[in-house]
Amino acid sequence: MCGRFALAYSRGQLERAAGTDRWRRTEAAPSYTYRECYNVAPRQVVPLLLSDAADAQRTLQPMKWSLPVLPWKRAASTDDHHHHHHQLLQVINVRAETALEKRTFRELMNKGKRAVVVASGFFEWYRGGDQVDAAAATTAVADKAVKRKRSVPYYIHMHPADGKPPPTDIATVAPMYMAAIYREYPSELNAFAVLTVAASDRIRWLHDRMPALLDTPGKLQAWLDVQHTSAADAMDQCAVPSTAIQWYAVSDQVSNTRNDCAELLQPRAEIKTNQRRIVEWFSPSKHAAT
Amino acid sequence: MFEARFTEASLLKKILDAIKDLVQDANFECNESGVALQAMDNAHVSLVSLLLRGEGFDLYRVDKPESLGINLNSMSKIMRCAGNNDSVTMDKVESADTVRFLFESPSADRMSEFHLKLMDIDSETLEIPEAMYHAEVELPSAELRRIVADLVTMGDSVRVSVSKEGVRFTVKGDEGSGSVILRQSTGVDKPEDAIHVLMNEPVEQSFALKYLNLFCKAAPLSARVQIKLSRDAPLLVNYAMSNVGHLAFYLAPKIGDEEDEQ
């Protein structure tokens, strides 16, 4: 899944990454002003990139992260639309593999409600092993800490073109484009959910799902171009897990959604941990042994 | 049906002693080519990879590939009941939920048998890339064990650097620091004591001594040990068991230490 991401760009950087400086004001949020956020959590409002229905120009529009949908059983049994609010589920991720099979999402896809989250990277929590960052600390206390199960947050970003470790300057790493679908509301903010795919082999050690990344200009354009790319074609393209990613462990501070500062993107090594994990090099094979 | 016989229990005992402190539970994957075990420690910092080739056994038979999920501590308890020179037969019939250990003394006048309950262990096999290493060092396993045992008393991590002068192990701790350097051997009067350093590119990486110390428990398995390392890749410590297979350990590096110390 993808439940937290970073949008560490200044307005200018975001507009460059989005390829547009056109913003669509919405009546639902007349006072919205963009501001970078290092810890974007569900229900927050962030700008999404989409193609304007009128003239097919790229446009940025603030939307709320969480898509209200009817629970599956209810959706199947009711044809009218007298939904009660308390029955709605808040969806933040939609599985790309089955998005076209589910009525709600298929409708949005067929109506061309495709957008893109421009992010600097996303966070995922490693829960597979015991905590190791205390291993470097001193004896008895450390041994206790090693045995305590804890999760460690990782920041995943696009792989810099030259293959070098991430520079501290966020602007030099390629932006991340996450495929999203959204629903329009006449008098409220539009709501969106991020599409997810099976994690690529490179980060399956970390988590089994990851956002659907549009990792080439062609894929990005095709996803945005709702006039010329059909729902099925768009879904096919975004369903390929991206391997153009890199990651590093970050501070536990990101786990609290109230924390929002540039330090959240600092490698954990600089904070404390310097022991890396074997799974960063060796990934699970698809075929079980024998 | 799975059946495997070792001429001497001591080999299996040594293997268990070498891995049971690193890994608690593991699957022994048995197929017609041999027995393989792969497991990570709890913190996912290191990986153990054991291979016992079918032809290395006295008798080896696998009708259908089997995955034997075993608690290594329990197996170790059972193996302690075998004399070093006893032969060991492990067998399991297809639907059984236990594996049998049969020990026979060399003179065949004493036999004992133990049954160990099998476990369902959920584990994924990791793909180990066929890496080109920047440097390889081959040395007596007792020498490596001594170095690690000496350095672990001084600090938590060791910096291993391979250069033209040889291989250097450096430790820094609260009380002080130390280093050991091994140079490429020139004389060959005692090949088993020789030190071979093969360097394609200079490498320098830091590793947790705690893990290296555990790896060195495999020293009784082989007189020689191979260390392979690359920049930004796990270290490989390999104990080859002639005609039988190997026990290899991979260890993820630590980062940051080099910068601190330069």
Side-chain angles (χ1 to χ4, degrees):
Chain A
M1 76 161 231
C2 170
R4 207 72 68 81
F5 64 89
L7 185 42
Y9 300 124
S10 68
R11 183 174 170 142
Q13 287 171 330
L14 170 67
E15 289 172 348
R16 269 195 299 282
T20 183
D21 61 357
R22 186 155 97 166
W23 289 73
R24 185 190 287 167
R25 299 267 153 232
T26 51
E27 283 172 32
S31 59
Y32 175 83
T33 40
Y34 172 76
R35 176 184 86 72
E36 75 266 33
C37 180
Y38 297 91
N39 198 356
V40 180
R43 310 182 88 87
Q44 255 170 269
V45 177
V46 285
L48 261 71
L49 176 63
L50 49 87
S51 173
D52 193 305
D55 56 8
Q57 294 298 305
R58 286 189 185 189
T59 306
L60 287 160
Q61 183 177 1
M63 296 192 196
K64 188 177 173 182
W65 186 11
S66 85
L67 188 66
V69 299
L70 269 181
W72 180 79
K73 275 197 176 130
R74 188 114 185 109
S77 61
T78 48
D79 278 329
D80 60 338
H81 289 274
H82 301 292
H83 311 146
H84 297 290
H85 273 285
H86 64 270
Q87 289 169 326
L88 296 177
L89 293 175
Q90 299 293 328
V91 170
I92 58 163
N93 290 154
V94 173
R95 296 172 76 92
E97 300 92 322
T98 53
L100 292 175
E101 293 163 22
K102 306 265 165 80
R103 193 176 76 170
T104 316
F105 307 135
R106 185 175 60 229
E107 276 172 12
L108 294 175
M109 282 297 289
N110 287 342
K111 286 186 198 150
K113 302 300 178 197
R114 305 200 299 256
V116 170
V117 177
V118 182
S120 34
F122 68 95
F123 297 100
E124 193 55 76
W125 278 258
Y126 181 70
R127 296 185 169 87
D130 292 354
Q131 175 73 331
V132 285
D133 60 335
T138 45
T139 55
V141 188
D143 278 348
K144 238 177 224 165
V146 167
K147 279 172 198 135
R148 207 180 332 125
K149 286 258 185 211
R150 269 172 64 195
S151 62
V152 178
Y154 275 74
Y155 178 65
I156 299 100
H157 56 90
M158 300 311 283
H159 198 290
D162 57 6
K164 290 202 181 101
T168 37
D169 181 5
I170 197 75
T172 58
V173 178
M176 184 175 266
Y177 302 102
M178 308 194 284
I181 54 176
Y182 68 97
R183 179 181 288 140
E184 272 178 321
Y185 294 97
S187 57
E188 284 174 66
L189 274 172
N190 291 353
F192 75 94
V194 174
L195 290 171
T196 62
V197 296
S200 77
D201 285 351
R202 301 195 59 218
I203 56 158
R204 267 216 295 157
W205 62 273
L206 178 58
H207 196 71
D208 59 350
R209 305 288 299 173
M210 67 185 270
L213 302 180
L214 305 160
D215 58 4
T216 66
K219 282 192 204 173
L220 174 62
Q221 189 48 40
W223 184 261
L224 288 171
D225 190 355
V226 295
Q227 305 281 351
H228 299 103
T229 316
S230 71
D233 286 350
M235 204 52 97
D236 278 352
Q237 288 204 27
C238 87
V240 183
S242 177
T243 53
I245 45 170
Q246 198 51 265
W247 56 86
Y248 54 88
V250 292
S251 137
D252 292 321
Q253 279 191 64
V254 71
S255 304
N256 187 334
T257 54
R258 278 176 299 193
N259 292 330
D260 177 16
C261 57
E263 282 70 56
L264 298 186
L265 303 191
Q266 288 292 309
R268 196 183 178 92
E270 287 171 20
I271 304 156
K272 195 140 192 306
T273 310
N274 54 6
Q275 178 63 65
R276 300 182 69 180
R277 290 187 171 81
I278 203 88
V279 281
E280 294 177 44
W281 288 276
F282 303 162
S283 50
S285 62
K286 289 199 188 100
H287 321 282
T290 61
Chain B
M1 177 82 189
F2 161 72
E3 191 177 5
R5 186 160 73 219
F6 300 85
T7 332
E8 287 200 334
S10 60
L11 179 75
L12 209 47
K13 287 182 174 207
K14 287 175 192 166
I15 291 172
L16 283 173
D17 285 344
I19 60 179
K20 74 174 171 27
D21 292 331
L22 210 53
V23 177
Q24 281 83 48
D25 305 316
N27 285 320
F28 287 75
E29 306 286 352
C30 313
N31 61 28
E32 62 280 358
S33 60
V35 178
L37 174 151
Q38 199 203 66
M40 279 189 282
D41 68 282
N42 272 341
H44 293 192
V45 168
S46 67
L47 178 90
V48 180
S49 173
L50 168 73
L51 174 71
L52 298 170
R53 281 185 222 102
E55 61 261 32
F57 291 87
D58 205 18
L59 178 157
Y60 190 77
R61 175 184 160 200
V62 177
D63 296 341
K64 204 172 128 238
E66 292 256 19
S67 179
L68 311 181
I70 285 179
N71 175 291
L72 298 180
N73 228 337
S74 312
M75 182 171 167
S76 181
K77 279 185 204 161
I78 288 179
M79 286 308 299
R80 253 176 255 150
C81 305
N84 278 342
N85 301 322
D86 287 1
S87 73
V88 182
T89 309
M90 279 174 78
D91 58 22
K92 175 187 174 291
V93 290
E94 213 160 284
S95 55
D97 57 359
T98 57
V99 60
R100 182 173 75 143
F101 293 82
L102 186 67
F103 306 137
E104 284 174 88
S105 67
S107 51
D109 52 2
R110 185 178 193 274
M111 265 172 75
S112 47
E113 92 175 51
F114 294 87
H115 295 265
L116 176 63
K117 281 189 193 143
L118 293 171
M119 316 163 63
D120 267 328
I121 300 166
D122 191 21
S123 75
E124 271 182 312
T125 304
L126 298 187
E127 202 99 58
I128 301 171
E130 201 53 61
M132 276 289 296
Y133 289 94
H134 290 144
E136 300 184 17
V137 182
E138 200 194 295
L139 69 160
S141 51
E143 180 62 66
L144 180 67
R145 184 171 57 184
R146 180 182 165 194
I147 292 170
V148 172
D150 288 350
L151 299 189
V152 79
T153 61
M154 299 275 306
D156 296 324
S157 46
V158 61
R159 198 164 86 223
V160 183
S161 44
V162 184
S163 65
K164 268 182 267 170
E165 60 168 355
V167 55
R168 182 188 286 273
F169 301 85
T170 312
V171 67
K172 272 197 172 185
D174 295 336
E175 302 129 69
S177 61
S179 81
V180 178
I181 181 156
L182 300 176
R183 294 182 214 286
Q184 164 80 36
S185 307
T186 42
V188 281
D189 29 324
K190 267 191 175 175
E192 65 274 18
D193 290 343
I195 289 157
H196 300 297
V197 181
L198 183 77
M199 182 198 77
N200 298 319
E201 272 180 62
V203 193
E204 185 164 285
Q205 290 238 290
S206 290
F207 300 97
L209 277 163
K210 184 177 96 176
Y211 290 95
L212 289 174
N213 204 27
L214 291 174
F215 298 171
C216 285
K217 294 193 173 183
L221 280 173
S222 170
R224 308 279 297 168
V225 61
Q226 265 185 315
I227 304 173
K228 297 186 183 186
L229 62 170
S230 280
R231 234 171 281 139
D232 192 43
L235 167 82
L236 165 61
V237 179
N238 184 40
Y239 295 87
M241 297 175 273
S242 50
N243 305 325
V244 179
H246 62 250
L247 179 58
F249 300 92
Y250 295 86
L251 178 60
K254 297 177 85 167
I255 45 170
D257 284 18
E258 286 87 342
E259 284 82 4
D260 292 348
E261 288 163 22
Q262 266 165 17

